[in-house]
Amino acid sequence: MYDSGKILIGIIVFLILFTSPTWYDLVFGTPATKPNLVLPNKADQKECVMTTEYMRDNHMELLNIWRDDAVRKGDRIFTTASGKEFEMSLTKTCLNCHSNKAEFCDQCHNYLGVSPYCWDCHVDPKTVEIK
Amino acid sequence: MNILFSFFAVLIIILAVIIGVETAQLEFLFGVIIPYAAIATFILGIIYRILKWAKSPVPFRIPTVTGQEKSLSWIKSNKLDSPNSTLGVIGRMALEVLLFRSLFRNTKTQLKDGPALVYGSSKYLWLGALVFHWSFLIIVLRHFRYFAEPIPSFVIFLQNYDGLFQIGLPILYVTDVLILAALTFLFLRRITDPKLKYISLSSDYFPLFLIISIAVTGILMRYFAKVDIVSVKELAIGLFSFNPVIPNGIGIMFYIHLFLVSVLIAYFPFSKLLHMPGVFLSPTRNLANNSRMKRHINPWNKPVRIHTYEEYEDEFRDKMKAAGIPVEKE
């Protein structure tokens, strides 16, 4: 083999780069941070606006539609499949049941590095003191 | 023919995983065993290739240069295109690896009315390749949000800038659009130019189709056929920390994506994709052009018996003098 020193350095760099997820998880890994959702416990509100499966996959799309309907079309009433009516409002409707952002929204968002821009405008009522 | 062969090869791969996971419930095979086998093939295969390349002797300097070599002090030399030092070689390699400088020099030859043979610059391949490779790199790095917990800050940084335009929700990533555009161009380029189509092989189309289907399944998962990404991350971290787990109900699209990626990385050491490590071991790029400054001796030269003029004269001085031939030493 020729230039064995350089070849060896190259192979080591290749190995470190391509196995970096393993090293990273070994060195910095905190496997206990799996999302742990605290589900709402409200007697008067048993039903979400959509099914759990739909909300898990598509809540961001629904919120986007709500934003457009409410802000751009002025249509603020959402009717569910079972005929119930809800106000299209993140703060008043969603956060009314899912009242703890840190224990619900942030769980998955932080786990998967999602930084939704909802909170650029909306506030989490729990964390803001109303004067 | 080549196109159809590659197309059906990718199609069979996709069908195999659909049948395997949907019908035969082989989640563990497609989610754990095959990815591990693919990663092992990839790593061992590439090391094997590098060692094989390293066994080839390169006794002489054979850089292909496109600039003035360093010679006399008053002749301006080109330090990057004809490097004579290690630093110059590093600079040249960096430009080659990061910006594909040699593709930037692509030319095309056209026969125009006249008839006249016209040579012109052709930058489209360079642009398409650059867009594709950089998008692919950013997309791979973005995937570290599934590989690492806590998520490294560079991933968040990349996500923020990739989704800078905040189009739709989930936010559209610019690299998703760019990689599909670049791959489409790279494919169309092969089939629209008759000369290029003639020299294109299955091994050119197969990786192209494979990467297109990887990108498409990834985009489908993000925007249309959603999968449970919390479980995806659980599986990914399980794989990387050698604690494999198969969470329930991830969604078939994920297994298709994962199997296509496994095929890609297992195919890597046997294909043209080896240009990734190969570019670093290209003697025409990684050697300094210093043949006139430094003597490079062929390592397997047999010792040659030589008889210098001085020795010759010593041997025949008397006879030379007697014959009236001038000698250097009296």
Side-chain angles (χ1 to χ4, degrees):
Chain A
M1 198 165 77
Y2 300 90
D3 289 320
S4 42
K6 285 178 196 161
I7 294 287
L8 201 67
I9 292 172
I11 289 178
I12 289 171
V13 169
F14 160 76
L15 279 178
I16 290 174
L17 283 181
F18 280 84
T19 55
S20 54
T22 299
W23 302 128
Y24 186 91
D25 288 338
L26 270 181
V27 178
F28 304 101
T30 47
T33 50
K34 246 190 78 182
N36 182 21
L37 302 191
V38 174
L39 296 172
N41 187 21
K42 277 211 160 184
D44 58 328
Q45 195 62 265
K46 284 284 176 206
E47 189 189 346
C48 193
V49 294
M50 289 282 208
T51 60
T52 312
E53 289 72 37
Y54 178 88
M55 290 310 283
R56 192 191 64 197
D57 293 347
N58 301 304
H59 60 277
M60 69 303 270
E61 281 168 25
L62 186 75
L63 283 169
N64 217 20
I65 295 169
W66 278 21
R67 182 197 64 187
D68 290 356
D69 283 355
V71 179
R72 294 180 190 164
K73 295 180 193 152
D75 177 10
R76 289 186 172 270
I77 302 301
F78 178 80
T79 317
T80 63
S82 62
K84 256 189 145 187
E85 289 194 342
F86 286 97
E87 189 183 353
M88 290 186 194
S89 167
L90 174 67
T91 319
K92 288 187 207 159
T93 306
C94 304
L95 291 176
N96 183 32
C97 297
H98 303 287
S99 51
N100 197 331
K101 174 175 170 281
E103 286 176 357
F104 189 78
C105 310
D106 293 349
Q107 288 292 318
C108 295
H109 288 163
N110 290 348
Y111 185 61
L112 291 158
V114 183
S115 19
Y117 58 74
C118 310
W119 316 105
D120 289 2
C121 306
H122 289 271
V123 291
D124 175 8
K126 282 253 173 106
T127 58
V128 181
E129 227 174 274
I130 299 158
K131 282 171 193 168
Chain B
M1 183 57 214
N2 289 334
I3 304 177
L4 282 181
F5 177 79
S6 307
F7 178 75
F8 282 112
V10 174
L11 207 63
I12 288 168
I13 290 169
I14 294 173
L15 286 176
V17 61
I18 292 176
I19 294 167
V21 174
E22 292 275 88
T23 322
Q25 312 289 322
L26 296 170
E27 277 94 350
F28 195 77
L29 176 70
F30 285 99
V32 177
I33 298 173
I34 290 175
Y36 274 144
I39 292 170
T41 314
F42 175 76
I43 289 176
L44 294 177
I46 286 192
I47 291 176
Y48 168 75
R49 287 286 183 166
I50 292 174
L51 294 180
K52 211 175 158 195
W53 286 327
K55 286 202 178 87
S56 312
V58 186
F60 303 119
R61 302 277 124 163
I62 53 167
T64 47
V65 296
T66 46
Q68 174 62 48
E69 180 182 3
K70 183 174 165 61
S71 55
L72 299 166
S73 59
W74 41 271
I75 298 176
K76 200 175 169 226
S77 70
N78 193 326
K79 288 191 174 58
L80 277 173
D81 288 323
S82 181
N84 61 72
S85 62
T86 308
L87 197 68
V89 169
I90 290 171
R92 187 183 190 206
M93 286 300 289
L95 286 172
E96 182 64 37
V97 171
L98 300 174
L99 299 173
F100 311 162
R101 203 144 175 262
S102 58
L103 276 187
F104 193 71
R105 294 179 192 285
N106 244 16
T107 53
K108 65 169 177 220
T109 316
Q110 276 182 316
L111 195 59
K112 294 211 166 165
D113 289 340
L117 201 56
V118 182
Y119 300 94
S121 93
S122 172
K123 307 270 187 244
Y124 288 111
L125 176 60
W126 168 78
L127 188 67
L130 201 69
V131 170
F132 161 67
H133 281 86
W134 275 102
S135 300
F136 205 171
L137 176 69
I138 291 171
I139 290 170
V140 169
L141 291 177
R142 277 207 274 99
H143 277 70
F144 272 68
R145 77 176 176 133
Y146 299 112
F147 304 160
E149 177 64 34
I151 297 166
S153 54
F154 77 86
V155 178
I156 307 294
F157 175 84
L158 284 178
Q159 284 184 166
N160 286 343
Y161 280 91
D162 210 346
L164 190 69
F165 295 111
Q166 298 195 336
I167 298 169
L169 264 181
I171 289 173
L172 180 76
Y173 284 136
V174 177
T175 49
D176 285 358
V177 178
L178 288 179
I179 197 169
L180 277 191
L183 284 165
T184 308
F185 164 73
L186 292 172
F187 172 63
L188 290 178
R189 175 183 156 268
R190 281 197 184 276
I191 57 166
T192 50
D193 183 347
K195 302 187 287 298
L196 204 58
K197 193 177 177 189
Y198 183 72
I199 59 166
S200 293
L201 306 170
S202 310
S203 59
D204 293 314
Y205 293 114
F206 180 65
L208 208 46
F209 289 152
L210 205 55
I211 296 171
I212 289 175
S213 34
I214 289 171
V216 167
T217 49
I219 289 167
L220 283 177
M221 268 191 289
R222 181 170 170 82
Y223 305 102
F224 305 105
K226 306 274 171 71
V227 296
D228 183 1
I229 52 175
V230 172
S231 303
V232 169
K233 180 159 185 174
E234 222 180 304
L235 191 148
I237 289 202
L239 281 180
F240 284 118
S241 56
F242 298 102
N243 261 325
V245 278
I246 296 287
N248 283 328
I250 293 187
I252 185 69
M253 197 58 80
F254 168 73
Y255 286 102
I256 300 176
H257 189 70
L258 183 65
F259 188 52
L260 287 166
V261 173
S262 303
V263 171
L264 181 75
I265 63 171
Y267 174 66
F268 210 98
F270 311 99
S271 67
K272 67 185 245 180
L273 303 172
L274 271 175
H275 67 266
M276 190 249 287
V279 66
F280 295 98
L281 277 91
S282 305
T284 56
R285 308 277 152 204
N286 67 12
L287 292 172
N289 184 24
N290 59 2
S291 294
R292 295 188 179 180
M293 299 153 72
K294 207 179 145 199
R295 187 164 179 221
H296 300 283
I297 295 169
N298 191 344
W300 67 86
N301 269 354
K302 289 240 162 49
V304 180
R305 268 161 52 106
I306 50 166
H307 195 53
T308 62
Y309 180 72
E310 282 77 14
E311 289 163 358
Y312 172 88
E313 204 181 274
D314 288 342
E315 196 179 335
F316 296 108
R317 187 166 290 111
D318 301 337
K319 293 189 173 74
M320 288 167 82
K321 274 186 182 166
I325 298 170
V327 289
E328 303 229 317
K329 263 197 283 183
E330 286 302 325

